[in-house]
Amino acid sequence: MNYKPGLIYRFLKLYLPFVFRLYYRRFIIVGKENVPRSGPVIFAINHQNAFMDAIVVAASSPRNPWFLTRASVFGSPFVRYLLNKLQMIPIYRFRDGMTAMKRNDETLETCSQLLQHNQCILIFPEGNHDGRWALRPLQKGLARIVFATMDKTGGQTVVQIVPVGLQYENIFSAWSDLLISFGKPIRSLEYYETYKSEPGRGTSALMNEVKERISALMVDIQPAEAYEAKREAMLARPGRAANLQERLRGDQKFLAEYRPEDQQNKKQIQRANKIWCLPSALLLLPHLPALWFIRLLVNAVVKDPHWMSSIRLAAFAFGAPLVYIAVLFAFSAYFAGWQLLLIALIILPVTGIAGLWARDRCRGTSL
């Protein structure tokens, strides 16, 4: 197996961070110093936003992780080839049938080999995605991979598990906020000692530690039956900060101290400022063809709302530039010379960001 990232992977690693900073209003990464630069590593991540979760972590990390991805997307030979180039490994679920589930032994062996060769793997311990701000029960697959790898090497391969918290302000909206927090790594060796004598207790201890570490890096609204009331009260609290780290700490403190009887359930509504509506429309005018294309593609492709952000990002990153090029090419028939391209490269990013900023104030959606 070739353990070096391919050309497509390396291109996306360079290109996507630039895209994210245009796609999100605030795109903040903290804790990168906690990611070991070498050795076997597993990223354990909360899963709210379909494929988007994997790519924002991979693009933000100093490592080049391999991804465990649901097997159903490996349909055609071309897709399978492309996903292999993107370092994706199929994982089978109960809905794929018991025969397919047996192939997870191959996946386990692949992951073990990767870790033995000091690679990095990205795993969603919850098993599937859900857009709510809540960490669901974790599956034991992560522990199986860790302990099976250590068994094969007599405990010499010490895997470090880096908890990652993704906190989206709105998974369904572009030009929203995303905080990516890399936590301090969990060393597997102390849990392996327990696992050797009591496998069940060692597995539970490791997964409980992973759960607590991820929960500390996100807004985790528990219990499920109080979710809506707590979420509405949290969003209504005065003083939610624009700084994403401060906002997360404030939200967590509010939830820790939450008492239903103290809440008046009066949502603090930021008032729209209609004076910004006309400037927003004028500034976004050059972007209408690209915005129209993105909306058309999302409406045509998206069936599960949780995939909306992933498809919109793909359209923005790879389709919108082609639309801009086509529009510039059409204008070049009337305005010859390189000056048009230079002016466009300056005007488009500035008008796009300024237009979205003005639109937030027009709608009253900015913090």
Side-chain angles (χ1 to χ4, degrees):
M1 180 182 290
N2 183 7
Y3 297 108
K4 292 184 178 180
L7 184 62
I8 298 174
Y9 192 108
R10 284 180 286 170
F11 166 74
L12 293 176
K13 184 88 171 178
L14 292 173
Y15 177 54
L16 287 178
F18 169 75
V19 171
F20 292 142
R21 282 169 174 78
L22 294 176
Y23 183 82
Y24 287 102
R25 177 175 53 189
R26 300 181 184 91
F27 180 78
I28 305 299
I29 307 164
V30 296
K32 287 178 71 170
E33 68 278 4
N34 292 324
V35 179
R37 296 307 194 264
S38 61
V41 168
I42 292 178
F43 289 136
I45 308 165
N46 64 307
H47 199 11
Q48 295 179 351
N49 201 4
F51 189 58
M52 181 72 82
D53 293 340
I55 58 177
V56 295
V57 173
S60 305
S61 162
R63 301 295 295 266
N64 299 312
W66 297 70
F67 312 87
L68 284 179
T69 308
R70 60 188 177 93
S72 59
V73 302
F74 289 76
S76 67
F78 173 75
V79 171
R80 194 178 308 116
Y81 170 82
L82 180 62
L83 296 183
N84 287 336
K85 291 297 181 183
L86 295 175
Q87 299 190 173
M88 296 189 182
I89 307 166
I91 185 77
Y92 299 87
R93 301 178 295 175
F94 284 112
R95 69 181 63 177
D96 299 317
M98 292 305 298
T99 302
M101 283 281 293
K102 293 179 181 179
R103 298 186 64 183
N104 281 335
D105 292 338
E106 301 173 21
T107 299
L108 180 64
E109 177 59 28
T110 299
C111 291
S112 178
Q113 288 297 321
L114 289 169
L115 293 172
Q116 289 177 61
H117 286 84
N118 297 317
Q119 296 296 300
C120 177
I121 299 173
L122 186 153
I123 293 178
F124 300 113
E126 293 167 287
N128 52 27
H129 61 252
D130 188 308
R132 293 179 298 174
W133 290 338
L135 187 64
R136 288 161 288 127
L138 305 189
Q139 308 298 314
K140 297 178 180 179
L142 184 153
R144 284 186 61 201
I145 292 170
V146 169
F147 293 140
T149 302
M150 298 185 75
D151 278 341
K152 289 178 182 295
T153 61
Q156 297 303 305
T157 303
V158 180
V159 181
Q160 298 197 73
I161 303 158
V162 176
V164 185
L166 300 179
Q167 187 57 44
Y168 298 88
E169 185 66 15
N170 185 344
I171 67 168
F172 301 112
S173 175
W175 196 244
S176 183
D177 301 332
L178 171 58
L179 174 65
I180 304 173
S181 303
F182 292 94
K184 293 186 180 298
I186 302 166
R187 287 178 59 84
S188 59
L189 187 58
E190 58 186 276
Y191 298 96
Y192 182 62
E193 295 301 319
T194 304
Y195 171 82
K196 285 192 297 183
S197 58
E198 298 181 70
R201 192 161 72 89
T203 296
S204 295
L206 176 58
M207 296 312 301
N208 287 337
E209 179 72 10
V210 171
K211 183 176 182 178
E212 289 178 9
R213 296 285 198 95
I214 297 175
S215 177
L217 300 173
M218 59 178 285
V219 172
D220 187 9
I221 302 178
Q222 304 290 345
E225 55 270 21
Y227 179 84
E228 289 300 333
K230 286 188 173 183
R231 178 179 178 276
E232 289 301 316
M234 185 191 73
L235 291 175
R237 72 177 180 85
R240 287 190 85 224
N243 180 287
L244 300 190
Q245 287 180 271
E246 292 179 10
R247 188 189 304 174
L248 174 61
R249 287 194 292 268
D251 289 344
Q252 290 174 329
K253 183 174 185 294
F254 175 85
L255 291 171
E257 299 172 352
Y258 174 86
R259 293 194 306 172
E261 59 271 22
D262 293 340
Q263 306 307 316
Q264 298 180 358
N265 294 323
K266 292 182 179 179
K267 187 167 180 62
Q268 303 293 317
I269 300 174
Q270 183 180 4
R271 296 191 179 279
N273 189 343
K274 297 300 181 184
I275 197 172
W276 289 103
C277 294
L278 181 58
S280 172
L282 293 175
L283 287 165
L284 291 176
L285 191 61
H287 304 272
L288 286 181
L291 293 172
W292 175 83
F293 166 79
I294 292 171
R295 175 171 291 187
L296 185 68
L297 184 63
V298 168
N299 290 341
V301 172
V302 174
K303 307 302 179 187
D304 179 349
H306 290 95
W307 281 89
M308 184 180 296
S309 187
S310 303
I311 300 301
R312 185 186 286 120
L313 176 77
F316 174 77
F318 304 107
L322 299 179
V323 175
Y324 285 120
I325 290 170
V327 171
L328 289 173
F329 181 79
F331 271 96
S332 67
Y334 299 95
F335 303 97
W338 58 267
Q339 293 90 343
L340 174 65
L341 178 60
L342 179 61
I343 292 171
L345 290 175
I346 296 172
I347 287 178
L348 288 175
V350 173
T351 56
I353 293 172
L356 291 168
W357 182 87
R359 188 186 68 179
D360 281 349
R361 279 142 189 83
C362 167
R363 295 176 174 178
T365 55
S366 61
L367 282 174

